[in-house]
Amino acid sequence: MSISSFFPPQRTLMGPGPSDVNPRVLSALARPTVGHLDPTFIGMMDEVKTLIQYAFQTKNTYTMAISAPGSAGMEACFVNLLTPNDTVVVCKNGVFGARMVENVTRIGAKAIVIEGEWGRAVNPQQLEDTLKQNPQASVVAFVHAETSTGALSDAQALCSIAKQYDCLTIVDAVTSLAGVELRVDDWGIDAVYSGSQKCLSCVPGLSPISFSEQAAELIKKRNAPVQSWFLDQSLVMDYWSGQGKRSYHHTAPVNSLYALHESLVILQNEGLEQSWQRHRTMHNKLAGGLEQLGINFIVPKEERLPQLNAVYIPEGVDDAAVRHTLLNDYNLEIGAGLGAFAGKAWRIGLMGYAARNENVTLCLAALKDTLPA
């Protein structure tokens, strides 16, 4: 064999994720590895927990990072909070809402699906009407920022409605965390999960997650064990939250957690609201340039995600050819459409470290040069 070391090209990542990783985060990965039960590492985990609480705007005790990507964070919320006897209202307006439905059905619970329009926010009135008609529902699940369409739903309004009908809430914040306003405690979110590779600009592979006290109590009082040993939060909580000596659960991804710690320190130093505003400012600049190129947005202005811009591919333009040229001639990655938008849309990310003037300028210039061809 003659396989040699792998050296990837230097890309500018402006797709739906992963996003550009801050050089400080990459540097943190190279720090010396210590044991996952080393006292110094456990001290750093405590800081990670505090920083995740800041990012989510919560005081929840059960806040941590799952040693797996956001999809595992999603599954952890569902398998820990649901049993086959439960009825769950799922608001589905894109690919990741459909994955929520898949989680519910695999558990054996009943999913009542609100079919929303792709490219639009979840309709709060539809949720209220559905809960009135289904008083047996105990959980409401929805995607705050639908990565497949670029639509931002009103999480505060949806959670308020759920609470009126005594339902717990499970919220997908994979793309929203650090990119748009998200206030877990103020909005009454019971279970929330995100991903390290989006607006936190960390490496992929970790899922920040948080459970309210009510959700945590439900997990503790389960009669039947969680169907997934690895994602059973009653076991993991003792590793992340135990006093003094932590109970062993699994070998944590030590260096990846260094990286997450650094990305959260960067967020803390910038300020959460400043990060939200930076994403909005860069979105406005990108949107203005795209409109000048005749590229139209899928999502109405008031429902758009600033960090994930879903746009229609102009008529007569070859989707794959454009993305191929951007990647090979400009080292620039943008995302293809998913599901109903496959072949019809591009998804242009402005997440975390990628939400910078130079990235917006590069993207607009590259598209301007490439489209005429």
Side-chain angles (χ1 to χ4, degrees), residues 5 13-14 58 60 64 74 85 90 137 164 173 250 271 318 354:
S5 300
L13 301 180
M14 296 183 69
T58 183
N60 288 342
M64 65 201 81
M74 174 189 287
N85 297 323
V90 181
Q164 291 173 31
H250 66 278
D318 187 322

Side-chain angles (χ1 to χ4, degrees), residues 18-32:
S19 62
D20 279 348
V21 178
N22 191 302
R24 284 175 52 183
V25 174
L26 292 174
S27 177
L29 283 167
R31 293 169 188 165

Side-chain angles (χ1 to χ4, degrees), residues 152-163:
L152 176 66
S153 292
D154 188 341
Q156 184 176 14
L158 295 172
C159 287
S160 176
I161 293 167
K163 290 302 176 189

